[in-house]
Each structure stands twice: as C-alpha cells, then as structure tokens.
Amino acid sequence: MKQFSPDIFLLVADDKGFKKPIGIVEVKKPTNSDMDHEKFHGQMFTYLHLLQIYHGLDHAFGILTNYNQWRFYWLPNSDEVTKILAFIIYSNESCQR
C-alpha cells in the first residue's frame, strides 16, 4: 500500500498541548480539473479511514482542492456531525453579513 502522506494535516492541540490530526487536505494541480475522478475519491476515503484507524478519531474530515474547486469529505458515520457543523458555519456567516 502506498505510504499515507496527504499534503496537509489539520491538527488540534489537546489540553496537554499534544497535537493530533482531525483531518487532511489534498491539493491537486490547477490543471487537473477532473475533481470527479474516482481515484481522488478513493484516495480521500482511504486517508479518512486511516485517520480513524491510526489516530482513533470518531470523525475525520478531508478537503480536496485544485484551487479552482473545493470538495469536502467525511465518512458516513459523521453525517450528523457534518450537518451540525455546516449549520453552525452557515449561521455564523449569516450573522457577519
């Protein structure tokens, strides 16, 4: 299996200052505009599963971008959390306008 090496890890610090990943960002070349390619979806799925397995995350998130488009990824067990986060983010944006 190819080495687990996303472009960017999203980290948070716990109460003791230890950093742990909560998600990843994968950056593709802007010329590679086929964001629907199954290879990319599979790569993100694999990375999120590995985050759960190796770092014990209940909810892992990922972002795939080519700087022209952005896609957000999560695993099915995170559907409810994702809905809540999207609501909070949308509500905060509406309040700031």
Side-chain angles (χ1 to χ4, degrees), residues 55-75:
H55 297 284
L57 299 181
D58 292 326
H59 307 286
F61 299 93
I63 299 171
L64 173 67
T65 182
N66 64 6
Y67 295 108
N68 295 316
Q69 298 175 329
W70 298 79
R71 294 218 177 206
F72 296 87
Y73 292 81
W74 60 91
L75 298 173

Side-chain angles (χ1 to χ4, degrees), residues 6-82:
D7 294 322
I8 301 168
F9 279 98
L10 303 172
L11 304 172
V12 297
D14 64 15
D15 56 349
K16 296 178 183 175
F18 294 109
K19 295 182 175 91
K20 72 175 198 174
I22 58 167
I24 56 102
V25 178
E26 189 66 24
V27 182
K28 302 299 181 190
K29 294 179 184 176
T31 56
N32 192 352
S33 60
D34 188 11
M35 296 277 287
D36 289 325
H37 197 287
E38 288 183 20
K39 178 177 79 173
F40 297 149
H41 300 315
Q43 182 181 31
M44 296 300 288
F45 182 78
T46 299
Y47 284 167
L48 294 180
H49 267 289
L50 289 173
L51 277 176
Q52 286 187 323
I53 292 167
Y54 291 119
H55 297 284
L57 299 181
D58 292 326
H59 307 286
F61 299 93
I63 299 171
L64 173 67
T65 182
N66 64 6
Y67 295 108
N68 295 316
Q69 298 175 329
W70 298 79
R71 294 218 177 206
F72 296 87
Y73 292 81
W74 60 91
L75 298 173
N77 68 307
S78 299
D79 283 345
E80 290 302 314
V81 171
T82 304

Side-chain angles (χ1 to χ4, degrees), residues 79-93:
D79 283 345
E80 290 302 314
V81 171
T82 304
K83 288 178 191 176
I84 293 167
L85 290 172
F87 176 79
I88 291 169
I89 292 167
Y90 179 75
S91 296
N92 285 339
E93 286 180 3

